[in-house]
Amino acid sequence: MKVLLIGSGGREHALAWKLAQSSKLTQLYAAPGNPGIAEHATIVAVDIDDHQAVTAFCHEKKIDLVVVGPEAPLVAGLADALRAENIMVFGPSAAAAQLEGSKGFTKDLCARYDIPTGAYRRFSHAAEAKAYVQQQGAPIVVKADGLAAGKGVTVAMTVDEALAAIDDCFDGAFGAAGAEVVVEAFLDGEEASFFCLSDGRTALALATAQDHKRVGDGDTGPNTGGMGAYSPAPVMTPEMVSRTMKEIIEPTIRGMAESGYPFAGVFFAGLMITAKGPELIEYNVRFGDPECQVLMMRLKSDLLELLYAAATGTLDQVSAEWSDDVALTVVMASKGYPGAYEKNTPISRLPQTSTGEKVFHAGTALKDGALVATGGRVLNVTAMGKTVAEAKARAYALVDRTEWQNGFCRRDIGWQAVAREES
Ligand code: AMP
Ligand code: GLY
């Protein structure tokens, strides 16, 4: 099979690495790609925002499957453009991508299908949103409705903080994404990420992970795209997984199909495991980054076979096998991230890796033959272990053998799970 992979981050490097292991793969192309992805794929200069250019490339090369990594091309309708030309694609339609693109859309679906989630109201005027916050009190959560690069959410511990967040949204801090605001009840519990494939009718549970969103050790400082992750998430016991499938995923698949937006792709459910059980915080319609990296390390099955089944409505004919070992990834980022940071700083050495270890490229480029850091999140240093503690020790040993002056990372990825192992 010939595959075109869309994207250029650590998530796509992990997907490329795993796709390249498939016996069914004959040729892998990637756009825009990065130097890590280039180890497994032919990088092609196709503008992924130009849907016609992408479909023309697919026809020319007789591509059997397009795998879309990030959410932006999905929300922009790339999967629709490909399907309209009878090109198989892994990734939902723009209409189905509203599950990630619009928090209000998802909340309304939850209400109609009785999917457990925090109680909420949608507002398009500040005064009404503020009155609601005053009436509900704190803690309370204020969210810009649209895509705001993970920055549109304020978990307000006081009413004043919530009121300020409402002003920020309506004053345009998140652009068009803040034209509508969702105010939501605060959910108390432990967070986990759950991944599940869907072909529009059938669900295939993948695996669980936990992310570390804050930039600093001990979960301090501003939110980021994710500073590290591990899989599996210990809080997701077999009982919690089966409840999540039954109470959250299955009604979502049914609801999307009945609404006329059948969902084919991967559900990335952000969950809060509260005293009542799993509750939905949000859906993403793509793999998590860096959660994908740890999932791919643990996946024993052929990824291409799974993604092709999700794209072609044959998910009931495949199954996914996972290593029982833990995978853990540490994100190395440019100093200053998630704020401003210097670009094109030299990465003078990447560590040698052995089986069960991998350094994924997230924001790198080659300049005059030398590897440089071009992004905020730059490397995903990943290792497997029998325990979280072992995976963590191996990953940090790789970090310590990486030479990149302008890089930094958290030193405590996996701390909650390690504490759990020790107790
Ligand atoms: P989101 O972009 O919706 O994933 O929200 C970002 C982060 O805010 C989540 O990962 C949670 O840590 C937190 N959060 C969002 N909604 C809630 C909620 N209802 N209760 C508590 N924390 C929340
Ligand atoms: N790591 C969180 C995300 O991909 O949204």
Side-chain angles (χ1 to χ4, degrees), residues 211 213 225-226 268 284 286-291 377:
D211 188 12
K213 288 208 162 81
F268 163 4
N284 296 302
R286 34 101 192 155
F287 283 105
D289 189 346
E291 291 91 329
R377 295 188 298 165

Side-chain angles (χ1 to χ4, degrees), residues 103 118 141 143 150 153 155 184-188 191 213 223 272 281-282:
K103 296 187 191 296
V141 182
K143 302 184 175 184
V153 175
V155 179
E184 179 179 308
F186 173 77
L187 298 172
D188 196 12
E191 275 186 79
K213 288 208 162 81
N223 265 330
M272 189 71 86
I281 298 176
E282 64 161 357

